[in-house]
Amino acid sequence: KQEVTQIPAALSVPEGENLVLNCSFTDSAIYNLQWFRQDPGKGLTSLLLIQSSQREQTSGRLNASLDKSSGRSTLYIAASQPGDSATYLCAAAQGGSEKLVFGKGTKLTVNP
Amino acid sequence: SQTIHQWPATLVQPVGSPLSLECTVEGTSNPNLYWYRQAAGRGLQLLFYSVGIGQISSEVPQNLSASRPQDRQFILSSKKLLLSDSGFYLCAWSGGGEVGNTEAFFGQGTRLTVV
């Protein structure tokens, strides 16, 4: 059974700092790994999707990497801003139905 | 472009009352559809998923059921709500017909409080 873990559970940084969020998964047989952002009381916004054959994806200040062999993914946020404050979730897709198994998230606070 | 609509945004229901949450997707056909529940401190839990009309898979035993009467409509129901059904319910879709490498998109969620 796939288990996804995110460390740390919470992170507070000053504005402008570069930071890394970590995600690990126990079963390397995934189809893809997806990073989401969730603002309080809101739904999930997709940030980046890394397919199983890829090593990384970039969108603006965000870069996500995937190492299936070690069961790890990282989300790198460059030059963080207060507007980046949110909970970041990673999810691994399993099986033909693309069921997503989620980590519990990292709550990020960027202080001005 | 594709959009997903989920309603209502908030709901307060007494114990023992019925429930119906609706989710519709526009701009795509034959999507995979999902219902998740997010409880405080427990992360997102997959409740149901559907790969086609009338095809529903349940992930966990519970007081809830799901139906897919149309290609882009997914309904979460209960005949009698329990206090433990309280939570944040999220509907999601991903590209149907293409296994493995499609992105999932979520609705804005329904905050259900059972009193």
Side-chain angles (χ1 to χ4, degrees), chain A residues 31-32 34 38 46 97-98, chain B residues 34 38 98 100-104:
Chain A
Y31 280 107
N32 63 54
Q34 199 166 345
Q38 186 176 31
S46 178
S97 65
E98 300 164 32
Chain B
Y34 309 84
Q38 188 175 35
E98 181 180 345
N101 293 323
T102 58
E103 198 169 356

Side-chain angles (χ1 to χ4, degrees), chain A residues 73-86:
Chain A
S73 176
T74 60
L75 179 67
Y76 175 82
I77 302 177
S80 59
Q81 303 171 357
D84 294 331
S85 298

Side-chain angles (χ1 to χ4, degrees), chain A residues 20-32:
Chain A
V20 175
L21 306 181
N22 296 295
C23 172
S24 62
F25 46 95
T26 55
D27 185 350
S28 61
I30 62 172
Y31 280 107
N32 63 54

Side-chain angles (χ1 to χ4, degrees), chain A residues 60-82:
Chain A
R61 295 182 293 109
L62 305 180
N63 176 276
S65 67
L66 175 64
D67 185 342
K68 284 180 58 179
S69 61
S70 66
R72 295 178 185 273
S73 176
T74 60
L75 179 67
Y76 175 82
I77 302 177
S80 59
Q81 303 171 357

